[in-house]
Every structure is written in structure tokens, then in C-alpha cells.
């Protein structure tokens, strides 16, 4: 029995060391080894589980690891699988955060100046890619636009995505007039600033470790459509609210996470470390990945049953469209400073964006970030 648990942990630890290229590459790696070669579950069951975790928030590659570990050796096996998969990325990013903190931005500035346009290109590309997969009909496009407007007006993100989910649910139920009324009313309310509050910070003051945990939990619960959708939530909740975390640190954290084998959500660990040291990094990591563990270990069977209810699908699709709109605002926020920079920085952004569209390798993010940083360093 002990050997079984150890084998599961080591199997997924190995996957963690090879986890370059984002969730698609990570899931394909797991599929080739455990489904096609070793037949842990059949392809149909694997696809059904993957469809479930693509609908739910959180890093789907990590959730699939937990699921397969649970299938093989129960809930403890699932926990070990998830732990093994995330451990290399967690270790790497904590080490990078330590050295970043010790050396200071002044020493690393030439490299990170070049990484910034690459990160901005990465976020713009992700916003487009995610929107492409989520905004698949006219109604969802309009809901994405609604979310964009509400975010621009400063409406609280939680109210925003609930409105978006409700509007699409009403559309599916053939109540489009009511959906239009709700959308217009929400825009009117947003212009008053009445609901423009940050709920998670209301319950815990900035600079607190409890606040950091809640920001991580928010990111884990609202990362619909991919890890990039957590960026606006972590940015709004942490940047400027903790002494060690400004926009430059936020950019640098994304760049560092892009060059290591790890789920992108692990960049929250970097922010946590910069905010509160080792305890902050550990706290925010637990918070971000806690929903992914709980959804799978405790709720898999229930979610499979619940998600057969089609109206709920409609609500979650609307929420996803809302998150896509919020991410678009974030992409623009990252893009504006680049467009106001030097010709070299703008050129690096354009080349990085082109490379991200053209390169068809799981190492494209690594290549683009490193190349952009090195060009900046040389010039």
C-alpha cells in the first residue's frame, strides 16, 4: 500500500518537473502516459472528467492530476498526485522569489525591462485566445462587452460576474428583454459607484495575512477559462495593497513563472512571498489550490450530477464571458504603459506577440520571455 502511494506521488512529481507549456501541453503529457500507455482510465472517462474541470474554476491540469490519483488510490492518492504535480513549480518559484528579493530590482532591471513587453504580449494573446473559446455566440459576446463596461466603471468583480451569469441564463430562457433590462440597470448602478467596493478587502484589511489568503482563494475560485483569468483578481487585490508588491513586481512575477515548469497560477506564490515572505507564499498557494483539491476530492460526483442541469451550464457560461471581459480590461491596462514606452520596448512587444501566435511549441512562452529579456539586456 505504501509503495502504491509513493509511486503515485513520484509519477506526478515527474509530471511537475516537465510541466512546461501551459495546461494544454500538461494535459496532453498526462494523457499520453497514463491514458494511452498505462490505461489508468479509458479515453471516454478521461474526456468526461476533463470537460467537467474545464467548466469549473481552477487549473484544470492540476485538477486532472488529483482526479487520476483519486481513481487509482482514493482521496489520499488524489491528494498526493496534486501535491506532487505542484511541488516542483512551488519550489522553483519560491527560490526565484527569494533571489529576486535578495538581489533587488536594480540588479535585475535590464532583464526585466525586456520581460515586460513579452509579458504584456502574453496577456494580450491570452485574452484573445480565452475570448475565442468563451465568446462563441452573439449573446456571449454582448455579455463580454457588458462585463468590460462594468469593469471600466469600477463595479465590484463579484457583482459583475453574477450579473453576467444571470443575463446569459435569462437569454437561454428566452427572456432577452429582461436580460437587457438587468444589463442596463447594472450599468446605471455602476455609474453611481454604489457597488464599487472590493468585497474580500472589506472583510480583511490590506497588508494582513488573512487578506492575502482571501485574495488567493478569490483567484482559485474565479479562474474560469484558464489561469490567466486570475490575473485581474490578483492584481486588484494585491498590487498596491501590500508594501512589497507594485506593478513592476507583478510583471516580473508573471515573467518568472513563465520560464519554470508550473501552472501559471503559481505566480500568486511569488506575489505572496513578496508581500509577506515565506508564510505569505505558502498561505496564498494553499488558498489558490484549495478549491481545485476540494472540487475533485470531495465534490467530483456531485459536480458531475449538477452540471447535467443545462440552465446551470448557461449561468456558468455567462460567468465565463464576464471573466473574459474583465481580462480584456487587464490586457489593456498592461498594454498602455508599453505603448507609452521607447521604440525598443514597443518593438519587443510587437515581436513577442507575433512569436506567440506563430510558434507552435510548448516552450513558446519560455522562448519569448527569455529572448525579449536578453535583447533588452544587450541594448
Amino acid at each position: 500500500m505504501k509503495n502504491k502511494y509513493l509511486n503515485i506521488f513520484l509519477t506526478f512529481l515527474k509530471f511537475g518537473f516537465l510541466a512546461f507549456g501551459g495546461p494544454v501541453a500538461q494535459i496532453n503529457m498526462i494523457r499520453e502516459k497514463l491514458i494511452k500507455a498505462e490505461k489508468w482510465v479509458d479515453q471516454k472517462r478521461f474526456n468526461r472528467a476533463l470537460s467537467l474541470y474545464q467548466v469549473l474554476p481552477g487549473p484544470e491540469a492540476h485538477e486532472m492530476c488529483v482526479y487520476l490519483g483519486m481513481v487509482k488510490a482514493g482521496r489520499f492518492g488524489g491528494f498526493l498526485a496534486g501535491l506532487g504535480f505542484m511541488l516542483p513549480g512551488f519550489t522553483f518559484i519560491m527560490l526565484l522569489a527569494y533571489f529576486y528579493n535578495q538581489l533587488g530590482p536594480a540588479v535585475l532591471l535590464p532583464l526585466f525591462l525586456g520581460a515586460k513587453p513579452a509579458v504584456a504580449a502574453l496577456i494580450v494573446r491570452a485574452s484573445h485566445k480565452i475570448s475565442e473559446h468563451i465568446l462563441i455566440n452573439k449573446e456571449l459576446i454582448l455579455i463580454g462587452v457588458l462585463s468590460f463596461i462594468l469593469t471600466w466603471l469600477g463595479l465590484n468583480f463579484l457583482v459583475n460576474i453574477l450579473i453576467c451569469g444571470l443575463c446569459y441564463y435569462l437569454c437561454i430562457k428566452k427572456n432577452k428583454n429582461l436580460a437587457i433590462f438587468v444589463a442596463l440597470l447594472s450599468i446605471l448602478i455602476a455609474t453611481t459607484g454604489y457597488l464599487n467596493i472590493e468585497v474580500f478587502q472589506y472583510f480583511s484589511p490590506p497588508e494582513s495575512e488573512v487578506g492575502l489568503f482571501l485574495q488567493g482563494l478569490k483567484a482559485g475560485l474565479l479562474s474560469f477559462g484558464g489561469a490567466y483569468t486570475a490575473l485581474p483578481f490578483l492584481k486588484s487585490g494585491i498590487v498596491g495593497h501590500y508594501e512589497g508588491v507594485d506593478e513592476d513586481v507583478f510583471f516580473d512575477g508573471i515573467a518568472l513563472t513563465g520560464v519554470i515548469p508550473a501552472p501559471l497560477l503559481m505566480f500568486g506564490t511569488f506575489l505572496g512571498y513578496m508581500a509577506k515572505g515565506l508564510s505569505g507564499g505558502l498561505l496564498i498557494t494553499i488558498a489558490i489550490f484549495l478549491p481545485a483539491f476540494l472540487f475533485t476530492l470531495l465534490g467530483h460526483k456531485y459536480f458531475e450530477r449538477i452540471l447535467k442541469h443545462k440552465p446551470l451550464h448557461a449561468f456558468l457560461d455567462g460567468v465565463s464571458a464576464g471573466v473574459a471581459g474583465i481580462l480584456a480590461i487587464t490586457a489593456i491596462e498592461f498594454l498602455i504603459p508599453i505603448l507609452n514606452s521607447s521604440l525598443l520596448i514597443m518593438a519587443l512587444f510587437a515581436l513577442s506577440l507575433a512569436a506567440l501566435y506563430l510558434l507552435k511549441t510548448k516552450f513558446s512562452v519560455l522562448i519569448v520571455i527569455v529572448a525579449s529579456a536578453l535583447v533588452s539586456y544587450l541594448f
Side-chain angles (χ1 to χ4, degrees):
M1 184 64 75
K2 286 182 180 179
N3 285 340
K4 179 172 72 171
Y5 289 134
L6 180 62
N7 287 338
I8 285 174
F9 178 75
L10 293 177
T11 295
F12 288 94
L13 185 69
K14 181 181 176 182
F15 287 143
F17 277 108
L18 300 172
F20 290 99
V24 174
Q26 293 160 7
I27 289 167
N28 283 338
M29 173 178 65
I30 294 164
R31 181 190 281 114
E32 290 295 322
K33 175 68 174 173
L34 301 186
I35 308 307
K36 291 186 177 179
E38 298 188 11
K39 313 290 185 187
W40 280 31
V41 297
D42 62 52
Q43 187 68 54
K44 187 177 178 182
R45 186 177 177 186
F46 180 86
N47 289 343
R48 190 172 72 241
L50 180 58
S51 297
L52 170 66
Y53 294 119
Q54 285 173 331
V55 172
L56 294 172
E60 61 261 36
H62 178 265
E63 288 166 333
M64 286 304 298
C65 290
V66 178
Y67 170 72
L68 289 169
M70 186 171 68
V71 167
K72 197 72 172 176
R75 288 193 173 96
F76 188 56
F79 170 76
L80 289 175
L83 181 64
F85 184 69
M86 65 185 288
L87 196 57
F90 173 77
T91 305
F92 287 138
I93 200 65
M94 288 291 271
L95 285 171
L96 288 172
Y98 170 79
F99 286 115
Y100 179 93
N101 197 40
Q102 292 298 309
L103 294 172
V107 176
L108 302 170
L109 185 61
L111 285 171
F112 284 112
L113 276 175
K116 283 179 184 177
V119 170
L122 190 64
I123 294 167
V124 170
R125 172 69 179 110
S127 178
H128 175 219
K129 189 176 179 182
I130 288 166
S131 298
E132 226 176 14
H133 287 94
I134 292 174
L135 309 180
I136 55 175
N137 59 42
K138 182 178 70 176
E139 288 82 7
L140 285 171
I141 291 170
L142 289 172
I143 286 168
V145 172
L146 170 66
S147 174
F148 184 94
I149 293 168
L150 294 177
T151 305
W152 179 66
L153 291 171
L155 188 69
N156 170 259
F157 76 91
L158 189 57
V159 179
N160 184 344
I161 62 174
L162 290 175
I163 288 168
C164 291
L166 174 61
C167 284
Y168 193 59
Y169 175 83
L170 291 171
C171 287
I172 295 299
K173 287 290 188 179
K174 310 298 182 186
N175 289 322
K176 289 188 179 180
N177 289 337
L178 183 55
I180 292 169
F181 173 77
V182 170
L184 293 175
L185 181 62
S186 65
I187 291 172
L188 180 63
I189 292 171
T191 58
T192 68
Y194 184 67
L195 293 175
N196 300 4
I197 54 172
E198 170 54 73
V199 175
F200 282 77
Q201 284 170 355
Y202 179 78
F203 287 108
S204 60
E207 291 286 351
S208 73
E209 290 187 336
V210 173
L212 201 60
F213 181 85
L214 288 175
Q215 294 303 330
L217 195 61
K218 176 176 73 173
L221 287 168
L222 296 174
S223 54
F224 288 92
Y228 286 99
T229 57
L231 294 179
F233 305 121
L234 287 170
K235 184 174 183 291
S236 66
I238 297 178
V239 174
H241 298 289
Y242 290 83
E243 189 178 341
V245 188
D246 57 18
E247 290 212 3
D248 288 335
V249 169
F250 189 81
F251 263 112
D252 297 344
I254 298 170
L256 288 170
T257 311
V259 300
I260 62 171
L264 181 73
L265 270 176
M266 200 64 77
F267 95 98
T269 304
F270 178 85
L271 299 181
Y273 185 95
M274 297 307 296
K276 288 290 180 182
L278 182 63
S279 63
L282 187 60
L283 264 177
I284 201 167
T285 306
I286 291 170
I288 287 173
F289 286 89
L290 185 62
F293 275 107
L294 294 181
F295 287 153
T296 312
L297 296 178
L298 301 179
H300 180 86
K301 290 181 180 178
Y302 300 105
F303 283 117
E304 273 196 320
R305 287 202 292 266
I306 290 169
L307 290 177
K308 288 177 182 175
H309 185 55
K310 289 187 178 179
L312 181 59
H313 269 278
F315 180 80
L316 291 175
D317 286 343
V319 167
S320 298
V323 173
I326 294 170
L327 182 58
I329 283 278
T330 305
I332 291 170
E333 288 174 350
F334 280 117
L335 184 56
I336 288 170
I338 299 299
L339 297 178
N340 291 326
S341 298
S342 66
L343 285 174
L344 174 63
I345 296 297
M346 286 191 281
L348 285 173
F349 168 78
L351 290 170
S352 297
L353 189 61
L356 288 168
Y357 275 96
L358 295 172
L359 290 175
K360 305 298 181 185
T361 169
K362 68 178 182 178
F363 297 107
S364 58
V365 172
L366 173 64
I367 292 167
V368 167
I369 289 175
V370 171
S372 184
L374 287 175
V375 170
S376 171
Y377 183 80
L378 291 172
F379 284 93

